[in-house]
Amino acid sequence: MEALLELNLVTKVYGAGRTEVRAVDGVDLRVDPGEIVLIMGPSGSGKTTLLSMAGLLLSPTDGDVVLGGRRINGHSGSELAALRLRQIGFVFQAYNLLGALTARENVEVVMNMAGRKGTAARRRAEELLGTLGLAHRLDHKPADLSGGEKQRVAIARALANDAPLILADEPTGNLDSKTGREVMDLLCGKLRCEQGRGIVIVSHDHRLVEIADRVMWLEDGKLSQRDKAAPLNA
Amino acid sequence: MLKLAIRNLLHDRGRFLISASGIALAIVLILVMRGIFAGSEEHAVAYVRNQPAALWLMQSGVENMHMSTSILAPQTVELAAQVEGVDAVVGLLYAGGAVDLAGQPAYSYIFAVDADAPFGGPWELAEGRRALEFDEVIVDADLAARYGLGLGDTVRIFETDLRIAGLSRGTFGIATSITFVNKQQLAQWMGVPPEAASYILIRPEAGYLVGDLAERLKQAIPDANLLTQEEFIQSDKQMIRQMGADIIRAMNLVAYTVGMLVIGLTIYTATLERAREFAVLKAIGATSGRLLGVVFAQAFVSTLLGGLLGAALAWVLGQVIGGVLPEMLVLLEPDYLLAQIPVVLAVTGLAALIPTGRILRLDPMTVFRE
Ligand SMILES: Nc1ncnc2c1ncn2[C@@H]1O[C@H](COP(=O)(O)OP(=O)(O)OP(=O)(O)O)[C@@H](O)[C@H]1O
Ligand SMILES: [Mg+2]
């Protein structure tokens, strides 16, 4: 089976000389279809940096990123944008919805960018939002939605172009525990099983261990496998 | 993407309104300053512009009205009148001087033609008559009204009391006004014979080409300078631009620079304020081209609206100023207006491009921060 994402000895160094920070240090990671990988680690350990490289938002100082069997090397800005658009769905802690657009339009906009327009896009957006329990919030703008609702819109947006890989950075960071749990169940449960997507979640949230297939630990830029059952911070 | 741009603008109505108003005010500043400049220039050539004389004869070497003295020999008027194709000629005496209204001197262009001249006097009369006796004068109606003067009242020019016999319109300027006196009177002040003329205004017969007539006049009167009405106007404007209007020109330049900077800064900050949304778009897969499309659409829609609003406001303001201060002509020239469009668009594009360059190079991780 071809991996959705492979990181081979990926390293990111910020700055140089005395201000040099080795944020990610020789990380290997493989994500297969249908797999939920949770990456945990203390603040400043390099989680966001790692996810940014996996999401083609940041180029590694060293090592390879292989997305859907394609080694990322020397791609232009617009080639990377096209890959992000179709291959990767992002879920951010801060939701990052477009404030001027309604819930439905926020989902439609990425489909429009990928060339799916008109009623087809509209129906797909409604269907996705419906699955996520937002059928009654289609025409609300982000400012009129609760945090959980906003995150569900963001999830719908991440799924809209059928990207095989979903990257989520602290997706429950701004949500209370009950809402966070509901949102993650939606993201990971039904949608993943049905469609075999791979999901990488970066989080401090211990409760996410329950839904993850694999838990990794990142500390000082180095990644290690953790036993799911092992106590945290051990 | 245009849709997204417009939705963004309409979403943030307050912000949009502030941007458009900022741009509108900048445009008003630019257009009104230029309008005052152009208006004062236009006022200086108002006399020449409003006479039905296609050709103007003046002393050899003279090319403008206000910065030179022209005197033609008395017989020149007769000579010009006899040239074939000339319908009418009017000998005009002209001098600059202070007109004393109720103790307040006002600098004035003073014109005099014969009482029975077919033209050469005021082109619009509010009250009174054109034909002037020796001790009579026509002053601007608004100027007279400002000092509480009317028909029959007295003004003083060159130590002489003159009675107001007519009140003209369109003859009041910021720095100077236009005054008409009796020709014998002005000749006496100037120390020239009353048949003499500073300029000769020539109206061609219907059907005669101005160019052909000009050739014949040059042959008949070789020792004088002949200009068409438009040449004379342009040469006067040119001279005004070079001479007295330096301060206005400097103010105009400052207003222009400030106005363009305001437009640039407005667009710059409006674009920068959306940096995060643009970064999000980029992160979720928008290409740089698409992103630029949104940025430019937002910038140009703001400028377009602000520009239209500004042009309309400038026109209204010009009308209001003209109503309150009749000497202040705010002339909005369509040519000038059109010429500003590419400049304003370039400023807008540049102002939007600078922060966008930053956004495109932006640390993509901003989208991961709260
Ligand atoms: N643009 C940058 N320039 C320099 N150093 C950076 C930059 N971005 C991050 N760092 C440093 O790299 C290290 C890892 O940062 P990163 O944001 O990836 O950590 P994190 O694990 O996501 O932390 P948190 O849990 O607080 O979000 C930190 O020491 C941080 O200060
Ligand atoms: Mg982080």
Side-chain angles (χ1 to χ4, degrees), chain A residues 14 48-49 52 57-58 81 84-85 90 92-94 96 98-101 105 110 113 141 169 174, chain B residues 1 3-4 7-8 11 276-277 280-287 290 363-365 367-370:
Chain A
Y14 292 115
T48 298
T49 304
S52 301
L57 288 166
L58 192 66
R84 285 199 298 271
L85 182 62
F90 289 96
F92 308 98
Q93 178 175 5
N96 284 333
L98 300 175
L101 303 184
E105 290 166 336
V110 288
M113 287 196 286
K141 290 198 177 159
D169 190 4
N174 283 347
Chain B
M1 285 293 119
K3 183 183 152 207
L4 177 58
R7 292 296 295 276
N8 272 342
H11 177 61
R276 190 185 174 89
E277 291 216 335
V280 169
L281 273 173
K282 192 190 166 192
I284 61 178
T287 56
R290 209 178 273 278
D363 180 358
M365 288 171 57
V367 291
F368 288 117
R369 293 193 194 108
E370 273 196 82

Side-chain angles (χ1 to χ4, degrees), chain B residues 39-327:
Chain B
S40 74
E41 238 177 65
E42 189 54 35
H43 174 75
V45 298
Y47 179 83
V48 179
R49 171 97 67 204
N50 284 292
Q51 298 305 329
L55 291 166
W56 294 65
L57 205 58
M58 58 206 77
Q59 188 178 324
S60 174
V62 171
E63 292 205 319
N64 62 66
M65 183 168 262
H66 302 306
M67 293 308 282
S68 43
T69 311
S70 167
I71 282 295
L72 294 163
Q75 64 274 21
T76 319
V77 180
E78 265 314 296
L79 223 57
Q82 281 156 17
V83 172
E84 193 204 326
V86 169
D87 176 43
V89 298
V90 170
L92 167 74
L93 277 179
Y94 162 74
V99 176
D100 197 324
L101 300 115
Q104 290 294 317
Y107 189 78
S108 193
Y109 304 134
I110 301 167
F111 296 97
V113 293
D114 285 328
D116 58 355
F119 51 87
W123 46 97
E124 193 186 342
L125 210 58
E127 265 185 272
R129 56 189 156 75
R130 280 167 215 276
L132 296 176
E133 299 293 322
F134 190 75
D135 56 353
E136 288 182 337
V137 66
I138 297 172
V139 294
D140 183 88
D142 291 314
L143 176 64
R146 180 158 304 173
Y147 294 102
L149 300 177
L151 290 183
D153 289 328
T154 303
V155 302
R156 255 179 104 70
I157 304 178
F158 297 129
E159 309 290 301
T160 316
D161 281 337
L162 300 174
R163 196 172 58 253
I164 298 175
L167 294 168
S168 57
R169 289 217 184 276
T171 42
F172 193 8
I174 310 171
T176 48
S177 56
I178 291 171
T179 304
F180 301 90
V181 296
N182 176 280
K183 198 178 180 203
Q184 271 81 18
Q185 176 68 274
L186 186 52
Q188 188 175 313
W189 286 332
M190 291 169 75
V192 297
E195 305 78 37
S198 308
Y199 302 91
I200 297 172
L201 289 59
I202 298 157
R203 185 172 70 193
E205 259 176 48
Y208 270 85
L209 288 176
V210 172
D212 295 347
L213 182 56
E215 280 314 307
R216 274 199 295 281
L217 278 161
K218 278 177 191 163
Q219 271 167 25
I221 310 161
D223 56 342
N225 188 25
L226 185 76
L227 294 180
T228 66
Q229 188 172 29
E230 198 51 37
E231 282 167 353
F232 197 24
I233 288 170
Q234 289 315 321
S235 131
D236 244 341
K237 281 196 170 178
Q238 184 92 36
M239 183 278 307
I240 292 158
R241 258 170 241 155
Q242 282 163 7
M243 306 292 293
D246 269 355
I247 293 173
I248 301 184
R249 198 162 47 173
M251 281 165 63
N252 210 20
L253 189 71
V254 169
Y256 194 83
T257 312
V258 169
M260 287 301 174
L261 278 177
V262 167
I263 294 174
L265 272 172
T266 305
I267 293 296
Y268 180 87
T269 50
T271 308
L272 210 54
E273 270 187 7
R274 303 194 168 275
R276 190 185 174 89
E277 291 216 335
F278 294 138
V280 169
L281 273 173
K282 192 190 166 192
I284 61 178
T287 56
S288 301
R290 209 178 273 278
L291 211 57
L292 274 179
V294 183
V295 172
F296 277 160
Q298 286 183 209
F300 285 120
V301 168
S302 304
T303 297
L304 192 74
L305 198 85
L308 289 176
L309 201 69
L313 257 161
W315 183 82
V316 171
L317 198 64
Q319 299 297 305
V320 171
I321 290 174
V324 178
L325 298 169
E327 71 269 41

